[in-house]
Structures are given as structure tokens and as C-alpha cells.
Amino acid sequence: MEKQNSKYRWAVFGTVLFTYFLIVSQRTAPGLITDQLMKDFGLTASTIGLLTSIQFLAYASLQIPIGLLSDRYGPNFFLIVGTIFNGLGTVLYSLAPNEFFLLFARLLVGLGDAAIWVNLVLILSLWFKGNEFVGLIGVAGMAGSFGFLLATVPFSLWISLWGWKVPFLSIGIILCVLGILLYFILVKKPKQLFNDYQEQKKISSKEEQVKEKTLSLLRRILSSRQAWATFLCHFGVVGTYVGFIGSWAVPYGMNVYDMNRSDASQLIMIGLIGAIIGAPITSWIAGRIGSIKKPYTVIHFISFLCWAAILLLGGEPPLFMLIVLFFIIGYCNGANTLTFAVVRQSFARKEVGLASGFANTGGFLSAVLLPGIFGKILDHFHTAPIQVGYHYAFIIPVVFSMLGLVGGLLIKEQRQGEMEYNL
């Protein structure tokens, strides 16, 4: 019995998906307790910023190395270790006695988080056929959006009832247990069920690895049009959304529309709802029409139009229109899982991890760049009315989303025969 035809693959999918859901929630959950951390530990605003960036930079900088290592040694080990690192980091965060432990804890979480998505993609590519993969990668993206949603009102209520340490400690312990469970689900049980098949795959994998050195593989990926297309796609549709909502969305609502903090936060919620819907629907459309490039290019064009509309309306569109635009931009971000459907379709199995890591780097590089550049423009126009600064700052997401559209246009659609060969 082969993996891709077994019922057991759904146990793998469910366990990996739940793990990803919890890990994503911990990317933004610390933002809920910023004021409490400043009070409890006497932290400055710059230290709070460092707590956020150290996790983010660890994630972005490790995508390509993790992809290379996962291609060579398999995704199971790295997903398990990444989950345990996440859990230990979250536990340490809840028990930290000072700011140095807080920083180390977030670094540990970032190191663990870096190993999750790339290996999730690889594991799904091993356990599911190409036609199933396109739809399931959309479901995985939806799980991530639900993770972000968990880190808003539900987690906030939990913190209000129990204080901030208990929720983080609880999630950390659950993640450590999940890491152990993943060992049994991904390694121990499959050895019993698919022993002969596994051995055959190991031999085949080792033979392929001997044929090509890491440097040669890296050079070939970095010179691939398809790899750069996915890099630009992720750069344009992920970074603009994540970078903006993670830094300037709430201040924008408060400064330009005179909202209170709670109302401005609803803009983020609207985008998250769009993202939850966007992942499975767009993946379903791609599977239905038998094309990834067509719907994904349309997604990038719509994203570009939305950002351009905000810019052309002076950075201050009517509130109802802004709500609609945020929903659509969130939907487009949710469709970013098609980036990895393109990777799965376009690269041989031994290259999927590296290609996924390279594409993912594009999204998080954009998310790192946008807040800083956006802020520099706001600072440049600090003597003008606040709307003027935001107006010109929206040039940045317009340019970034335009690069995403270029990436969509650069995608080379694989013919059905080519798809099956690469998968």
C-alpha cells in the first residue's frame, strides 16, 4: 500500500494542520500583552520592537537553509524539532524572569517557526497526489488564518481571565506534546505500515542526492525563472498585507479616520476573514479549471488595483469602500498558498523544500521592508497633515503588489504530463 492511497494520510494531515494552526497563533499573540510586558519588566518601546523583529528575522533568514536541509534529510525531523522549539520557546516566554530570557524565548520560537511551513509543504507533497495537494494547501492556508484569528479576541479573553502567563504556558506545553505526537504519526507508525515502500524511497532519495551537490542545486534554483516567479508572487501578495496590518493598519485607522483602537483593529479582523475565505476558494477554483497561473495572476491584479485605489483616492477612501478593500486584500493574501502549488507543480521532489523556502523568503522580506519604508515616508511628511504622509506612503504597497503581478505573469504553467513527472 502506498502513502498517497492510504487512509492514514488523513491522520498525518490533521495532526500537521492542527500543529500549524497553534504555531501561527503564537506569531502575533505577544502583541496582545505589549503594555503588560512594558509594565512587568520595565521594557522600552525599542526593546518591544526587538522582541518582535528577532523572531521575524530568524524566520526569514532560515527559509533557504531549512529548505536545503529538508530536501536532503527529509521533512519529518525538522517539523518535529521545529514544533518542540516553538513549544519550549513559548514555555520559556511565560516563565521568563527578565528581558534577556524574553529575547531568547522569542528567538527560539522564531527558529522553530522557520522549520514549519516549508516542511508542511514537503510532507503534504509526499502524502498526497498533485490533484489533492492544490486543494489541501489551500486548507492549510485557511488553518493559518484561523491561527491568526485565535490570537485576537479568543486569546485576549483568555489573558483577561487568567493573566498572560497561563495561556502562553498552556500553548507551549501543548506544542511540546504535539512534537512528541508528530514523531509517532510521521515516523514510528509509517515505518510499521509502509516499511518496504519507505526503504525504496530512502534508497532512491540517496541516489538522487549523490548525483547533485548542494551548491549546484542552489545555483540551479536561483537561476530558475519559475523560482523567481514564486518569489515575486509571495513578495507582492504576502508582504504588502502582513507588513501593513502588522505595523500601520491600526495607526492608519486611528489617525486618518479618527477611530478608537478597538474599531481600528476591526480592519485587521476584516482582512483576516477575507484571508480565511481566500485560501480554500481560490485553491478550489485553480483545481476546477486546471490552471494555477490564471487565477493567481487575477489575484495579483486585483490586489494591485485595491492598493492603487487607496493611493488614487488620496489615502482616504470612503470608510465603506475601505472596509471592502481590506476584505479583498485579505482574500488575495489568503490565496498565497497557490505559490506553493506552483512550486509543487514545477520542481522535482528533491527540490521542493529549497524552492518553497526561496519563495517564502520573498514574502517575509517584503513584510520586513514595507513597515520601515512606510514609516520613513510618514516621517518625511511629519510637518504636513497626517493624511498627506499616508497618501504618499501607499505608493509602497502599490509598487510591491505590482512586483507580485509581474511574478504571476512570469509563471510558466506546466502541462499535465510535466506535472505528474515532477510530482
Side-chain angles (χ1 to χ4, degrees), residues 3-4 9 12-13 16 70-71 75 117-134 136-137 197 201 340-341 343-345 347-353 356 422-423:
K3 287 180 175 182
Q4 295 184 345
R9 72 192 192 279
V12 171
F13 180 67
V16 170
S70 299
D71 281 332
W117 178 256
V118 169
N119 289 293
L120 182 150
V121 172
L122 275 169
I123 287 169
L124 294 189
S125 72
L126 290 171
W127 284 90
F128 294 91
K129 297 177 181 178
N131 59 335
E132 292 177 318
F133 179 87
V134 175
L136 294 179
I137 199 70
Y197 181 71
K201 280 296 180 181
F340 303 98
V343 169
R344 169 74 151 80
Q345 182 193 79
F347 295 92
R349 193 185 303 277
K350 65 176 182 176
E351 304 167 337
V352 169
S356 297
N422 286 331
L423 300 182

Side-chain angles (χ1 to χ4, degrees), residues 34-76:
T34 297
D35 56 335
Q36 291 169 280
L37 290 178
M38 295 179 76
K39 179 182 177 182
D40 292 350
F41 295 95
L43 304 182
T44 63
S46 60
T47 304
I48 290 293
L50 182 59
L51 278 173
T52 303
S53 63
I54 196 170
Q55 176 186 351
F56 211 55
L57 289 174
Y59 183 101
S61 62
L62 285 175
Q63 288 306 288
I64 291 176
I66 287 293
L68 277 168
L69 291 169
S70 299
D71 281 332
R72 187 162 294 276
Y73 299 107
N76 295 337

